[in-house]
């Protein structure tokens, strides 16, 4: 079922050389819900993310959000439209403290303006509140490179929240993270969704996907092959074939 307010693509295609990483993908993710995008390795999920968020330009097709055409827009324009994202490999500044990473995430035009501008105190207060929210406020003066990988994931999520996005796209939030922090990340996603934020999560941890998501889209060879509630998708023979070859 389509959602006119949701994030949607139509015929989205991206090739690298002779390989179509995303192949005419037409899919809608529902606003106000926790959506998951799953599929075998190499099925095009991260390339799809990158096309949607302006990291790479699609060869053809469209990306729309709340009825607005965002196709090929640069990442800062996508962010202004209300979409934030994390990355498969954490993007933090390892020599900066946790708090400094949060302030950089505000993405002002120049770092000097960020550090001495009139909104500095407001931004610091917001950053500290979000660090409390994700549970790493006690680490605000620690260099990000000294955090565990799971703590870096929490820092990256907190940084995304500094931009107040309506929709948050997370690329493997549980990848390389210990079970206790996976549980914390799952709880945060549920809480933030209950407060009105939409999620689109790429994830290989099927236990997390099936317990967390309202709507699941399955990719194989660059295009969606199945979608629906988790209980339906997990029994779909096309999904079993894509994952298990059965």
């Amino acid at each position: 079922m389509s959602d006119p307010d949701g994030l949607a693509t139509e015929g989205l295609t991206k090739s690298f050389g002779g390989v179509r990483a995303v192949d005419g993908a037409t899919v809608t993710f529902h606003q106000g819900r926790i959506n998951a995008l799953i599929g075998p390795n190499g099925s095009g999920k991260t390339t799809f993310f990158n096309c949607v968020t302006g990291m790479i330009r699609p060869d053809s097709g469209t990306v729309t959000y709340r009825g607005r055409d965002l196709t090929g827009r640069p990442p800062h324009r996508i962010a202004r439209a209300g979409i934030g994202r994390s990355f498969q490999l954490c993007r933090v500044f390892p020599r900066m403290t946790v708090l400094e990473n949060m302030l950089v995430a505000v993405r002002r035009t120049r770092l000097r303006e960020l550090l001495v501008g009139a909104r500095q105190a407001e931004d610091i207060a917001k950053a500290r509140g979000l660090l409390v929210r994700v549970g790493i406020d006690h680490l605000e003066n620690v260099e990000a490179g000294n955090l565990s990988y799971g703590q870096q994931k929490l820092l990256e999520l907190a940084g995304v929240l500094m931009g107040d996005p309506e929709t948050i796209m997370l690329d493997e939030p549980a990848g390389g993270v210990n079970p206790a922090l996976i549980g914390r990340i799952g709880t945060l996603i549920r809480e933030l969704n209950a407060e009105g934020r939409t999620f689109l999560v790429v994830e290989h941890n099927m236990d997390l996907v099936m317990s967390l998501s309202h709507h699941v889209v399955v990719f194989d060879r660059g295009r969606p092959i199945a979608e629906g509630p988790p209980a339906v998708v997990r029994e779909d023979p096309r999904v079993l074939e894509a994952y298990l070859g059965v």
Side-chain angles (χ1 to χ4, degrees), residues 62-110:
T62 60
V63 178
T64 59
Y65 179 62
R66 292 190 170 276
R68 179 181 176 187
D69 188 351
L70 299 181
T71 312
R73 299 288 191 271
H76 70 276
R77 293 280 298 276
I78 304 293
R80 287 177 186 169
I83 299 173
R85 73 162 292 181
S86 71
F87 292 84
Q88 188 174 355
L89 299 176
C90 276
R91 294 193 176 188
V92 298
F93 295 96
R95 301 291 294 274
M96 288 185 174
T97 68
V98 165
L99 183 60
E100 288 168 345
N101 268 268
M102 291 291 288
L103 297 177
V104 169
V106 178
R107 300 178 189 271
R108 304 230 192 279
T109 55
R110 295 197 306 271

mmCIF file of all heavy atoms in Angstrom, residues 62-110:
data_model
loop_
_atom_site.group_PDB
_atom_site.id
_atom_site.type_symbol
_atom_site.label_atom_id
_atom_site.label_comp_id
_atom_site.label_asym_id
_atom_site.label_seq_id
_atom_site.Cartn_x
_atom_site.Cartn_y
_atom_site.Cartn_z
ATOM 1 N N THR A 62 13.182 8.090 -9.596
ATOM 2 C CA THR A 62 12.891 9.236 -8.738
ATOM 3 C C THR A 62 12.888 8.845 -7.268
ATOM 4 O O THR A 62 12.629 7.697 -6.902
ATOM 5 C CB THR A 62 11.520 9.853 -9.071
ATOM 6 O OG1 THR A 62 10.494 8.861 -8.879
ATOM 7 C CG2 THR A 62 11.492 10.365 -10.502
ATOM 8 N N VAL A 63 13.188 9.849 -6.439
ATOM 9 C CA VAL A 63 13.085 9.748 -4.980
ATOM 10 C C VAL A 63 12.151 10.858 -4.521
ATOM 11 O O VAL A 63 12.371 12.029 -4.838
ATOM 12 C CB VAL A 63 14.454 9.927 -4.294
ATOM 13 C CG1 VAL A 63 14.302 9.857 -2.772
ATOM 14 C CG2 VAL A 63 15.457 8.892 -4.794
ATOM 15 N N THR A 64 11.094 10.509 -3.813
ATOM 16 C CA THR A 64 10.178 11.518 -3.283
ATOM 17 C C THR A 64 9.992 11.323 -1.788
ATOM 18 O O THR A 64 10.090 10.205 -1.270
ATOM 19 C CB THR A 64 8.803 11.470 -3.974
ATOM 20 O OG1 THR A 64 8.227 10.157 -3.792
ATOM 21 C CG2 THR A 64 8.914 11.770 -5.452
ATOM 22 N N TYR A 65 9.715 12.435 -1.106
ATOM 23 C CA TYR A 65 9.464 12.401 0.324
ATOM 24 C C TYR A 65 8.399 13.432 0.642
ATOM 25 O O TYR A 65 8.546 14.610 0.308
ATOM 26 C CB TYR A 65 10.741 12.705 1.109
ATOM 27 C CG TYR A 65 10.562 12.711 2.602
ATOM 28 C CD1 TYR A 65 10.156 11.554 3.279
ATOM 29 C CD2 TYR A 65 10.797 13.857 3.356
ATOM 30 C CE1 TYR A 65 9.988 11.548 4.647
ATOM 31 C CE2 TYR A 65 10.639 13.872 4.732
ATOM 32 C CZ TYR A 65 10.234 12.699 5.375
ATOM 33 O OH TYR A 65 10.054 12.693 6.743
ATOM 34 N N ARG A 66 7.310 12.970 1.227
ATOM 35 C CA ARG A 66 6.156 13.829 1.497
ATOM 36 C C ARG A 66 5.706 14.552 0.231
ATOM 37 O O ARG A 66 5.330 15.731 0.267
ATOM 38 C CB ARG A 66 6.463 14.816 2.621
ATOM 39 C CG ARG A 66 6.630 14.157 3.990
ATOM 40 C CD ARG A 66 6.693 15.184 5.094
ATOM 41 N NE ARG A 66 6.610 14.576 6.410
ATOM 42 C CZ ARG A 66 5.482 14.250 7.044
ATOM 43 N NH1 ARG A 66 4.327 14.438 6.438
ATOM 44 N NH2 ARG A 66 5.504 13.721 8.239
ATOM 45 N N GLY A 67 5.766 13.859 -0.876
ATOM 46 C CA GLY A 67 5.325 14.393 -2.145
ATOM 47 C C GLY A 67 6.304 15.310 -2.833
ATOM 48 O O GLY A 67 6.018 15.834 -3.920
ATOM 49 N N ARG A 68 7.482 15.497 -2.260
ATOM 50 C CA ARG A 68 8.486 16.409 -2.806
ATOM 51 C C ARG A 68 9.574 15.606 -3.515
ATOM 52 O O ARG A 68 10.098 14.632 -2.962
ATOM 53 C CB ARG A 68 9.082 17.234 -1.672
ATOM 54 C CG ARG A 68 10.161 18.211 -2.093
ATOM 55 C CD ARG A 68 10.676 18.945 -0.863
ATOM 56 N NE ARG A 68 11.783 19.824 -1.182
ATOM 57 C CZ ARG A 68 12.499 20.480 -0.266
ATOM 58 N NH1 ARG A 68 12.200 20.344 1.022
ATOM 59 N NH2 ARG A 68 13.495 21.262 -0.624
ATOM 60 N N ASP A 69 9.933 16.017 -4.716
ATOM 61 C CA ASP A 69 10.956 15.321 -5.493
ATOM 62 C C ASP A 69 12.346 15.682 -4.960
ATOM 63 O O ASP A 69 12.756 16.840 -4.994
ATOM 64 C CB ASP A 69 10.839 15.711 -6.969
ATOM 65 C CG ASP A 69 11.752 14.883 -7.878
ATOM 66 O OD1 ASP A 69 12.592 14.122 -7.353
ATOM 67 O OD2 ASP A 69 11.623 14.997 -9.104
ATOM 68 N N LEU A 70 13.069 14.665 -4.472
ATOM 69 C CA LEU A 70 14.413 14.878 -3.937
ATOM 70 C C LEU A 70 15.483 14.225 -4.800
ATOM 71 O O LEU A 70 16.651 14.159 -4.398
ATOM 72 C CB LEU A 70 14.510 14.316 -2.513
ATOM 73 C CG LEU A 70 13.584 14.919 -1.459
ATOM 74 C CD1 LEU A 70 13.828 14.254 -0.115
ATOM 75 C CD2 LEU A 70 13.787 16.425 -1.353
ATOM 76 N N THR A 71 15.117 13.764 -5.976
ATOM 77 C CA THR A 71 16.037 13.004 -6.813
ATOM 78 C C THR A 71 17.307 13.800 -7.113
ATOM 79 O O THR A 71 17.251 14.922 -7.631
ATOM 80 C CB THR A 71 15.372 12.621 -8.149
ATOM 81 O OG1 THR A 71 14.082 12.070 -7.893
ATOM 82 C CG2 THR A 71 16.227 11.629 -8.914
ATOM 83 N N GLY A 72 18.451 13.205 -6.773
ATOM 84 C CA GLY A 72 19.728 13.817 -7.099
ATOM 85 C C GLY A 72 20.097 15.034 -6.282
ATOM 86 O O GLY A 72 21.118 15.679 -6.560
ATOM 87 N N ARG A 73 19.305 15.380 -5.275
ATOM 88 C CA ARG A 73 19.638 16.534 -4.438
ATOM 89 C C ARG A 73 20.884 16.205 -3.595
ATOM 90 O O ARG A 73 21.103 15.072 -3.203
ATOM 91 C CB ARG A 73 18.486 16.897 -3.508
ATOM 92 C CG ARG A 73 17.196 17.294 -4.219
ATOM 93 C CD ARG A 73 17.325 18.665 -4.884
ATOM 94 N NE ARG A 73 16.043 19.166 -5.328
ATOM 95 C CZ ARG A 73 15.503 18.925 -6.515
ATOM 96 N NH1 ARG A 73 16.139 18.154 -7.388
ATOM 97 N NH2 ARG A 73 14.335 19.439 -6.846
ATOM 98 N N PRO A 74 21.697 17.219 -3.259
ATOM 99 C CA PRO A 74 22.876 16.966 -2.423
ATOM 100 C C PRO A 74 22.466 16.610 -0.996
ATOM 101 O O PRO A 74 21.348 16.926 -0.561
ATOM 102 C CB PRO A 74 23.638 18.286 -2.486
ATOM 103 C CG PRO A 74 22.604 19.313 -2.817
ATOM 104 C CD PRO A 74 21.595 18.626 -3.677
ATOM 105 N N PRO A 75 23.373 15.972 -0.237
ATOM 106 C CA PRO A 75 23.018 15.508 1.107
ATOM 107 C C PRO A 75 22.472 16.594 2.027
ATOM 108 O O PRO A 75 21.543 16.328 2.808
ATOM 109 C CB PRO A 75 24.351 14.947 1.630
ATOM 110 C CG PRO A 75 25.064 14.489 0.404
ATOM 111 C CD PRO A 75 24.713 15.504 -0.653
ATOM 112 N N HIS A 76 23.010 17.819 1.959
ATOM 113 C CA HIS A 76 22.518 18.852 2.888
ATOM 114 C C HIS A 76 21.079 19.249 2.569
ATOM 115 O O HIS A 76 20.311 19.605 3.464
ATOM 116 C CB HIS A 76 23.435 20.078 2.873
ATOM 117 C CG HIS A 76 23.399 20.888 1.621
ATOM 118 N ND1 HIS A 76 24.154 20.571 0.504
ATOM 119 C CD2 HIS A 76 22.692 22.002 1.279
ATOM 120 C CE1 HIS A 76 23.927 21.457 -0.445
ATOM 121 N NE2 HIS A 76 23.041 22.334 -0.010
ATOM 122 N N ARG A 77 20.688 19.147 1.293
ATOM 123 C CA ARG A 77 19.298 19.440 0.930
ATOM 124 C C ARG A 77 18.373 18.320 1.410
ATOM 125 O O ARG A 77 17.238 18.578 1.837
ATOM 126 C CB ARG A 77 19.180 19.600 -0.584
ATOM 127 C CG ARG A 77 19.904 20.828 -1.155
ATOM 128 C CD ARG A 77 19.095 22.102 -0.973
ATOM 129 N NE ARG A 77 17.822 22.050 -1.680
ATOM 130 C CZ ARG A 77 17.659 22.337 -2.962
ATOM 131 N NH1 ARG A 77 18.722 22.680 -3.710
ATOM 132 N NH2 ARG A 77 16.473 22.292 -3.516
ATOM 133 N N ILE A 78 18.855 17.093 1.318
ATOM 134 C CA ILE A 78 18.072 15.956 1.827
ATOM 135 C C ILE A 78 17.861 16.115 3.326
ATOM 136 O O ILE A 78 16.760 15.892 3.853
ATOM 137 C CB ILE A 78 18.787 14.628 1.524
ATOM 138 C CG1 ILE A 78 19.080 14.475 0.022
ATOM 139 C CG2 ILE A 78 17.975 13.452 2.052
ATOM 140 C CD1 ILE A 78 17.888 14.325 -0.852
ATOM 141 N N ALA A 79 18.916 16.501 4.040
ATOM 142 C CA ALA A 79 18.807 16.687 5.488
ATOM 143 C C ALA A 79 17.805 17.782 5.825
ATOM 144 O O ALA A 79 16.995 17.636 6.756
ATOM 145 C CB ALA A 79 20.182 17.014 6.068
ATOM 146 N N ARG A 80 17.834 18.876 5.067
ATOM 147 C CA ARG A 80 16.888 19.969 5.322
ATOM 148 C C ARG A 80 15.451 19.545 5.061
ATOM 149 O O ARG A 80 14.513 20.110 5.643
ATOM 150 C CB ARG A 80 17.236 21.167 4.448
ATOM 151 C CG ARG A 80 18.481 21.917 4.890
ATOM 152 C CD ARG A 80 18.812 23.041 3.933
ATOM 153 N NE ARG A 80 20.080 23.681 4.263
ATOM 154 C CZ ARG A 80 20.695 24.542 3.477
ATOM 155 N NH1 ARG A 80 20.161 24.877 2.306
ATOM 156 N NH2 ARG A 80 21.846 25.076 3.843
ATOM 157 N N ALA A 81 15.257 18.560 4.195
ATOM 158 C CA ALA A 81 13.909 18.057 3.918
ATOM 159 C C ALA A 81 13.370 17.198 5.062
ATOM 160 O O ALA A 81 12.188 16.854 5.067
ATOM 161 C CB ALA A 81 13.907 17.257 2.618
ATOM 162 N N GLY A 82 14.242 16.856 6.024
ATOM 163 C CA GLY A 82 13.780 16.109 7.192
ATOM 164 C C GLY A 82 14.261 14.684 7.275
ATOM 165 O O GLY A 82 13.709 13.889 8.042
ATOM 166 N N ILE A 83 15.314 14.347 6.526
ATOM 167 C CA ILE A 83 15.834 12.978 6.517
ATOM 168 C C ILE A 83 17.263 12.979 7.059
ATOM 169 O O ILE A 83 18.131 13.678 6.538
ATOM 170 C CB ILE A 83 15.823 12.380 5.100
ATOM 171 C CG1 ILE A 83 14.389 12.323 4.558
ATOM 172 C CG2 ILE A 83 16.444 10.984 5.097
ATOM 173 C CD1 ILE A 83 14.297 11.902 3.101
ATOM 174 N N GLY A 84 17.503 12.206 8.112
ATOM 175 C CA GLY A 84 18.843 12.028 8.657
ATOM 176 C C GLY A 84 19.282 10.594 8.466
ATOM 177 O O GLY A 84 18.449 9.701 8.308
ATOM 178 N N ARG A 85 20.595 10.352 8.491
ATOM 179 C CA ARG A 85 21.061 8.986 8.294
ATOM 180 C C ARG A 85 22.345 8.711 9.075
ATOM 181 O O ARG A 85 23.111 9.617 9.400
ATOM 182 C CB ARG A 85 21.320 8.700 6.820
ATOM 183 C CG ARG A 85 22.571 9.362 6.258
ATOM 184 C CD ARG A 85 23.004 8.698 4.946
ATOM 185 N NE ARG A 85 23.478 7.343 5.127
ATOM 186 C CZ ARG A 85 23.924 6.572 4.144
ATOM 187 N NH1 ARG A 85 23.948 7.033 2.898
ATOM 188 N NH2 ARG A 85 24.352 5.349 4.373
ATOM 189 N N SER A 86 22.549 7.432 9.350
ATOM 190 C CA SER A 86 23.831 6.942 9.851
ATOM 191 C C SER A 86 24.473 6.112 8.752
ATOM 192 O O SER A 86 23.880 5.890 7.692
ATOM 193 C CB SER A 86 23.631 6.095 11.113
ATOM 194 O OG SER A 86 23.033 4.850 10.781
ATOM 195 N N PHE A 87 25.680 5.630 9.023
ATOM 196 C CA PHE A 87 26.425 4.892 8.014
ATOM 197 C C PHE A 87 26.801 3.509 8.514
ATOM 198 O O PHE A 87 26.869 3.261 9.723
ATOM 199 C CB PHE A 87 27.682 5.664 7.605
ATOM 200 C CG PHE A 87 27.377 6.938 6.857
ATOM 201 C CD1 PHE A 87 27.085 8.109 7.549
ATOM 202 C CD2 PHE A 87 27.351 6.963 5.475
ATOM 203 C CE1 PHE A 87 26.782 9.286 6.873
ATOM 204 C CE2 PHE A 87 27.041 8.127 4.787
ATOM 205 C CZ PHE A 87 26.764 9.287 5.483
ATOM 206 N N GLN A 88 27.038 2.604 7.556
ATOM 207 C CA GLN A 88 27.389 1.232 7.895
ATOM 208 C C GLN A 88 28.652 1.195 8.753
ATOM 209 O O GLN A 88 28.735 0.449 9.719
ATOM 210 C CB GLN A 88 27.597 0.428 6.608
ATOM 211 C CG GLN A 88 27.789 -1.062 6.824
ATOM 212 C CD GLN A 88 27.833 -1.811 5.505
ATOM 213 O OE1 GLN A 88 27.640 -1.258 4.438
ATOM 214 N NE2 GLN A 88 28.082 -3.096 5.589
ATOM 215 N N LEU A 89 29.645 1.999 8.376
ATOM 216 C CA LEU A 89 30.838 2.187 9.193
ATOM 217 C C LEU A 89 30.727 3.555 9.860
ATOM 218 O O LEU A 89 30.529 4.561 9.189
ATOM 219 C CB LEU A 89 32.100 2.104 8.328
ATOM 220 C CG LEU A 89 32.317 0.770 7.616
ATOM 221 C CD1 LEU A 89 33.544 0.850 6.710
ATOM 222 C CD2 LEU A 89 32.469 -0.374 8.620
ATOM 223 N N CYS A 90 30.839 3.577 11.186
ATOM 224 C CA CYS A 90 30.623 4.809 11.941
ATOM 225 C C CYS A 90 31.478 5.951 11.403
ATOM 226 O O CYS A 90 32.666 5.783 11.132
ATOM 227 C CB CYS A 90 30.973 4.587 13.409
ATOM 228 S SG CYS A 90 29.643 3.869 14.357
ATOM 229 N N ARG A 91 30.858 7.115 11.283
ATOM 230 C CA ARG A 91 31.572 8.317 10.885
ATOM 231 C C ARG A 91 31.626 9.275 12.063
ATOM 232 O O ARG A 91 30.717 10.070 12.267
ATOM 233 C CB ARG A 91 30.896 8.965 9.680
ATOM 234 C CG ARG A 91 30.956 8.112 8.419
ATOM 235 C CD ARG A 91 30.557 8.905 7.197
ATOM 236 N NE ARG A 91 30.715 8.115 5.979
ATOM 237 C CZ ARG A 91 30.575 8.612 4.750
ATOM 238 N NH1 ARG A 91 30.274 9.893 4.578
ATOM 239 N NH2 ARG A 91 30.747 7.847 3.695
ATOM 240 N N VAL A 92 32.674 9.124 12.856
ATOM 241 C CA VAL A 92 32.916 10.053 13.958
ATOM 242 C C VAL A 92 34.304 10.646 13.769
ATOM 243 O O VAL A 92 35.132 10.126 13.021
ATOM 244 C CB VAL A 92 32.823 9.348 15.334
ATOM 245 C CG1 VAL A 92 31.432 8.776 15.553
ATOM 246 C CG2 VAL A 92 33.885 8.255 15.474
ATOM 247 N N PHE A 93 34.553 11.764 14.445
ATOM 248 C CA PHE A 93 35.869 12.393 14.423
ATOM 249 C C PHE A 93 36.653 11.856 15.625
ATOM 250 O O PHE A 93 36.384 12.271 16.759
ATOM 251 C CB PHE A 93 35.740 13.909 14.479
ATOM 252 C CG PHE A 93 35.079 14.500 13.270
ATOM 253 C CD1 PHE A 93 33.713 14.785 13.283
ATOM 254 C CD2 PHE A 93 35.808 14.770 12.119
ATOM 255 C CE1 PHE A 93 33.096 15.332 12.163
ATOM 256 C CE2 PHE A 93 35.194 15.314 10.997
ATOM 257 C CZ PHE A 93 33.836 15.590 11.022
ATOM 258 N N PRO A 94 37.589 10.930 15.410
ATOM 259 C CA PRO A 94 38.194 10.206 16.534
ATOM 260 C C PRO A 94 39.015 11.068 17.474
ATOM 261 O O PRO A 94 39.127 10.742 18.653
ATOM 262 C CB PRO A 94 39.069 9.148 15.843
ATOM 263 C CG PRO A 94 39.309 9.664 14.464
ATOM 264 C CD PRO A 94 38.083 10.444 14.108
ATOM 265 N N ARG A 95 39.572 12.197 16.986
ATOM 266 C CA ARG A 95 40.414 13.039 17.834
ATOM 267 C C ARG A 95 39.605 14.123 18.538
ATOM 268 O O ARG A 95 40.161 14.888 19.325
ATOM 269 C CB ARG A 95 41.531 13.673 16.991
ATOM 270 C CG ARG A 95 42.440 12.667 16.293
ATOM 271 C CD ARG A 95 43.317 11.908 17.269
ATOM 272 N NE ARG A 95 44.268 12.771 17.926
ATOM 273 C CZ ARG A 95 45.458 13.084 17.420
ATOM 274 N NH1 ARG A 95 45.824 12.621 16.241
ATOM 275 N NH2 ARG A 95 46.290 13.869 18.096
ATOM 276 N N MET A 96 38.318 14.221 18.222
ATOM 277 C CA MET A 96 37.444 15.157 18.918
ATOM 278 C C MET A 96 36.726 14.438 20.053
ATOM 279 O O MET A 96 36.488 13.231 19.997
ATOM 280 C CB MET A 96 36.400 15.745 17.969
ATOM 281 C CG MET A 96 36.941 16.735 16.968
ATOM 282 S SD MET A 96 35.576 17.464 16.003
ATOM 283 C CE MET A 96 36.471 18.698 15.056
ATOM 284 N N THR A 97 36.347 15.201 21.074
ATOM 285 C CA THR A 97 35.585 14.603 22.164
ATOM 286 C C THR A 97 34.170 14.262 21.691
ATOM 287 O O THR A 97 33.725 14.713 20.626
ATOM 288 C CB THR A 97 35.488 15.545 23.364
ATOM 289 O OG1 THR A 97 34.680 16.675 23.003
ATOM 290 C CG2 THR A 97 36.854 16.007 23.828
ATOM 291 N N VAL A 98 33.494 13.502 22.513
ATOM 292 C CA VAL A 98 32.099 13.145 22.228
ATOM 293 C C VAL A 98 31.254 14.411 22.069
ATOM 294 O O VAL A 98 30.476 14.539 21.112
ATOM 295 C CB VAL A 98 31.554 12.245 23.354
ATOM 296 C CG1 VAL A 98 30.030 12.141 23.296
ATOM 297 C CG2 VAL A 98 32.190 10.856 23.270
ATOM 298 N N LEU A 99 31.410 15.363 22.988
ATOM 299 C CA LEU A 99 30.618 16.591 22.902
ATOM 300 C C LEU A 99 30.970 17.388 21.651
ATOM 301 O O LEU A 99 30.074 17.924 20.976
ATOM 302 C CB LEU A 99 30.834 17.446 24.149
ATOM 303 C CG LEU A 99 30.016 18.738 24.220
ATOM 304 C CD1 LEU A 99 28.513 18.441 24.190
ATOM 305 C CD2 LEU A 99 30.378 19.534 25.479
ATOM 306 N N GLU A 100 32.237 17.461 21.308
ATOM 307 C CA GLU A 100 32.635 18.175 20.095
ATOM 308 C C GLU A 100 32.049 17.527 18.848
ATOM 309 O O GLU A 100 31.627 18.214 17.913
ATOM 310 C CB GLU A 100 34.164 18.236 20.001
ATOM 311 C CG GLU A 100 34.792 19.184 21.004
ATOM 312 C CD GLU A 100 36.295 19.027 21.117
ATOM 313 O OE1 GLU A 100 36.836 18.007 20.642
ATOM 314 O OE2 GLU A 100 36.933 19.929 21.697
ATOM 315 N N ASN A 101 31.994 16.202 18.832
ATOM 316 C CA ASN A 101 31.358 15.506 17.715
ATOM 317 C C ASN A 101 29.900 15.896 17.586
ATOM 318 O O ASN A 101 29.385 16.073 16.477
ATOM 319 C CB ASN A 101 31.481 13.987 17.896
ATOM 320 C CG ASN A 101 32.709 13.401 17.246
ATOM 321 O OD1 ASN A 101 32.685 12.968 16.095
ATOM 322 N ND2 ASN A 101 33.806 13.371 17.992
ATOM 323 N N MET A 102 29.224 16.028 18.705
ATOM 324 C CA MET A 102 27.820 16.417 18.681
ATOM 325 C C MET A 102 27.642 17.818 18.113
ATOM 326 O O MET A 102 26.719 18.085 17.342
ATOM 327 C CB MET A 102 27.246 16.348 20.092
ATOM 328 C CG MET A 102 27.110 14.941 20.641
ATOM 329 S SD MET A 102 25.829 13.995 19.800
ATOM 330 C CE MET A 102 24.363 14.792 20.454
ATOM 331 N N LEU A 103 28.526 18.734 18.462
ATOM 332 C CA LEU A 103 28.409 20.107 17.999
ATOM 333 C C LEU A 103 28.714 20.207 16.505
ATOM 334 O O LEU A 103 28.062 20.968 15.782
ATOM 335 C CB LEU A 103 29.325 21.017 18.809
ATOM 336 C CG LEU A 103 28.997 21.100 20.307
ATOM 337 C CD1 LEU A 103 30.007 21.974 21.038
ATOM 338 C CD2 LEU A 103 27.581 21.612 20.534
ATOM 339 N N VAL A 104 29.690 19.442 16.043
ATOM 340 C CA VAL A 104 29.975 19.417 14.609
ATOM 341 C C VAL A 104 28.763 18.904 13.836
ATOM 342 O O VAL A 104 28.490 19.336 12.715
ATOM 343 C CB VAL A 104 31.225 18.566 14.313
ATOM 344 C CG1 VAL A 104 31.384 18.316 12.820
ATOM 345 C CG2 VAL A 104 32.465 19.246 14.862
ATOM 346 N N ALA A 105 28.008 18.017 14.429
ATOM 347 C CA ALA A 105 26.830 17.449 13.760
ATOM 348 C C ALA A 105 25.764 18.491 13.467
ATOM 349 O O ALA A 105 24.868 18.252 12.649
ATOM 350 C CB ALA A 105 26.227 16.327 14.616
ATOM 351 N N VAL A 106 25.838 19.663 14.112
ATOM 352 C CA VAL A 106 24.886 20.736 13.815
ATOM 353 C C VAL A 106 25.082 21.238 12.393
ATOM 354 O O VAL A 106 24.162 21.770 11.766
ATOM 355 C CB VAL A 106 25.027 21.892 14.836
ATOM 356 C CG1 VAL A 106 24.078 23.027 14.522
ATOM 357 C CG2 VAL A 106 24.791 21.374 16.242
ATOM 358 N N ARG A 107 26.313 21.079 11.847
ATOM 359 C CA ARG A 107 26.616 21.379 10.447
ATOM 360 C C ARG A 107 26.399 22.849 10.111
ATOM 361 O O ARG A 107 25.741 23.181 9.130
ATOM 362 C CB ARG A 107 25.783 20.503 9.498
ATOM 363 C CG ARG A 107 26.027 19.017 9.701
ATOM 364 C CD ARG A 107 25.149 18.218 8.784
ATOM 365 N NE ARG A 107 25.205 16.806 9.110
ATOM 366 C CZ ARG A 107 26.066 15.950 8.608
ATOM 367 N NH1 ARG A 107 26.956 16.359 7.738
ATOM 368 N NH2 ARG A 107 26.038 14.673 8.946
ATOM 369 N N ARG A 108 26.942 23.747 10.920
ATOM 370 C CA ARG A 108 26.927 25.143 10.531
ATOM 371 C C ARG A 108 27.944 25.367 9.415
ATOM 372 O O ARG A 108 28.729 24.493 9.074
ATOM 373 C CB ARG A 108 27.242 26.026 11.727
ATOM 374 C CG ARG A 108 26.304 25.804 12.897
ATOM 375 C CD ARG A 108 25.758 27.119 13.411
ATOM 376 N NE ARG A 108 25.089 26.915 14.688
ATOM 377 C CZ ARG A 108 23.861 26.471 14.811
ATOM 378 N NH1 ARG A 108 23.159 26.153 13.749
ATOM 379 N NH2 ARG A 108 23.317 26.311 16.011
ATOM 380 N N THR A 109 27.946 26.547 8.862
ATOM 381 C CA THR A 109 28.779 26.787 7.678
ATOM 382 C C THR A 109 30.264 26.754 7.999
ATOM 383 O O THR A 109 31.060 26.322 7.181
ATOM 384 C CB THR A 109 28.434 28.142 7.046
ATOM 385 O OG1 THR A 109 28.566 29.174 8.037
ATOM 386 C CG2 THR A 109 27.017 28.135 6.515
ATOM 387 N N ARG A 110 30.651 27.211 9.193
ATOM 388 C CA ARG A 110 32.059 27.180 9.570
ATOM 389 C C ARG A 110 32.161 26.755 11.031
ATOM 390 O O ARG A 110 31.345 27.137 11.872
ATOM 391 C CB ARG A 110 32.724 28.551 9.410
ATOM 392 C CG ARG A 110 32.799 29.040 7.981
ATOM 393 C CD ARG A 110 33.827 30.172 7.837
ATOM 394 N NE ARG A 110 33.589 31.269 8.759
ATOM 395 C CZ ARG A 110 32.809 32.319 8.483
ATOM 396 N NH1 ARG A 110 32.190 32.396 7.316
ATOM 397 N NH2 ARG A 110 32.658 33.288 9.363
#
